[in-house]
Amino acid sequence: MFHPRRTRTRTRILRALLLPLTAGLVLTALPDRTATAASTLTNGGFETGGSGTATPAGWSEHGATGASYTESGGRDGGHRLSHWSSSAYKVETYQHLSGLPDGDHRLTAWVRSGGGQNAAHLALKNCGGAEQRTALPVSASDWIRIVVPVRVTNNRCTVSVTSDANAGDWINVDDLSLTPGTAGLAVRGTDVSSLPKSEDRGGVYRTASGTAGDGLAILRSAGMNYARLKVWVDPADGYNDKARLLATAKRVKDRGMKLLVDFHYSDTWADPGRQTKPAAWAGHSYGRLRTDVYRHTYDVLDALEAQGTTADMVQVGNEINGGMLWDEGSTDNWTQLAGLLNSGYDAVKAVDPSTTVALHLAEGGDLDGTRRWFDNAVSRGVRFDAIGLSYYGYWHGTLHDFQTTLDDAAARYGKPVFLAETAYPFRLDSEDAHENIIDLPGELVPGYPATPAGQTRWMNDVASIVEAVPNGRGLGVFAWEATWTARAGNGWDPADPSSGNGWENQALFGYDDRALPAMSWFGHR
């Protein structure tokens, strides 16, 4: 396994002896060095000087300076910046820039981290406005690209790499560049399909301080700007049908949020393992199914528009890796699947041409599978505006796998991409009698504990990966089922009131019904 200490030089070891004297220093304001600052980032690849350079050329250090150094093993070139010490430490490696043109700038860097730090981030500061930071995701072997945007208003800026770390914690940083450009996420949302049934079964939602309130309003006040709602055709419990969708959509729009409608084309859950036709459509021919898809899609969206709550985005199908409306719409018959998808697309655009049509796959870390599916879709003339991927880190590969797949989809198909579903546990035990989907330490993603802090870090780090998609094609993130707390009668099976909920430990409200710290991710740029 990769370990950053193996390439330390003798100089590195000697300097580490000084760390106990400086590890406790607080990183106070940096000295003003504008007289020696350059107008472009110098030595962003840390190649000048080679391994063991105490202070990389063009950079300065502050705090426990012995913990900051260059070593071999760069992402692209031969060397990288590393922070590490055998003692707890706080260190900042920074570079002042002056003579910058005012306007929007974007810092891009490739990073690795073993995790465990109190804080490890890149920052742009002293730029004339608020400091901007991006935390380093936990990735012990693969490099992850992150970005930090800022608006320069005083022709100056400081690029900063900071660690507040425990003994043995480490980071690697390489290939930094500062260029004109912006970043940020247009979509900071969550699926709240479970909310109406939860409320009807006595579900309570509270602010972090304990005040009871409307669950949507609490999420909105935290910064949520987009709601995702699924719609089934004729569900057994009467929830997530057209009527319930219309009622919840009105609440969403009344709070100034946008709306994504997720068509399952089923009476129950549709996902990679099941795409069961609605009972009312059973026995229909393929041609009739195309008409069913069009009419159902049009009917739901037209009703939303008529009440003044037009859908801003629509998913034609949910996690359709294997197709939809089996068996006629299976990927075993791509020509028929393409026809069904285009029927949905045409219905969406007939109601409102400005509504974004997304196609949604699971397994967001599966590069080959995603390529194969969309290559088939494109070759058969399937029309769509955006690509949504589900990515659950405990199932779908590493963060590097997710970034690789997301970046490739955006570039290969020239479409904006978004994280359609993700979640992470804030604890492992269950609040009801039903076993949780994730309930063992061995199921967790390394570096992300099942704690409120671990859940918060997960949400922010996947948001940072979407934000870093090149050419501004990363739309944003939907957390999955933020409001699906444990309530008797609101289980996973709409036909069985006694069924339980295996996801309440991944909601954004805790077992005390209070808003969890992970809601802070809605404040992501």
Side-chain angles (χ1 to χ4, degrees), residues 357-378:
V357 177
L359 298 180
H360 170 212
L361 300 187
E363 302 180 26
D366 181 4
L367 174 63
D368 291 340
T370 301
R371 276 187 175 182
R372 184 165 54 251
W373 197 97
F374 277 99
D375 282 354
N376 272 297
V378 170

Side-chain angles (χ1 to χ4, degrees), residues 185-261:
L185 299 177
V187 175
R188 301 183 300 280
T190 181
D191 194 305
V192 290
S193 300
S194 62
L195 180 60
K197 190 173 182 179
S198 176
E199 292 171 331
D200 290 349
R201 299 296 184 273
V204 176
Y205 299 91
R206 303 181 183 277
T207 64
S209 62
T211 302
D214 177 84
L216 268 181
I218 293 169
L219 288 162
R220 176 59 173 158
S221 66
M224 172 182 164
N225 68 357
Y226 228 116
R228 180 178 185 255
L229 298 174
K230 67 175 172 279
V231 60
W232 290 335
V233 177
D234 188 19
D237 61 0
Y239 287 88
N240 300 301
D241 63 358
K242 173 185 167 183
R244 299 282 185 176
L245 172 72
L246 289 170
T248 309
K250 192 171 189 311
R251 294 172 62 185
V252 167
K253 292 287 188 168
D254 284 348
R255 285 162 180 77
M257 292 185 284
K258 291 187 175 183
L259 173 65
L260 165 60
V261 178

Side-chain angles (χ1 to χ4, degrees), residues 29-37 60 94 96-98 126 154 156 158:
L30 298 175
D32 184 59
R33 294 173 56 91
T34 56
T36 59
S60 301
Y94 63 95
H96 290 301
L97 300 176
S98 65
N126 307 322
N154 61 359
R156 298 183 299 170
T158 299

Side-chain angles (χ1 to χ4, degrees), residues 165-179:
N166 304 298
D169 293 344
W170 62 269
I171 66 170
N172 299 151
V173 180
D174 203 3
D175 296 335
L176 291 96
S177 62
L178 184 68
T179 58

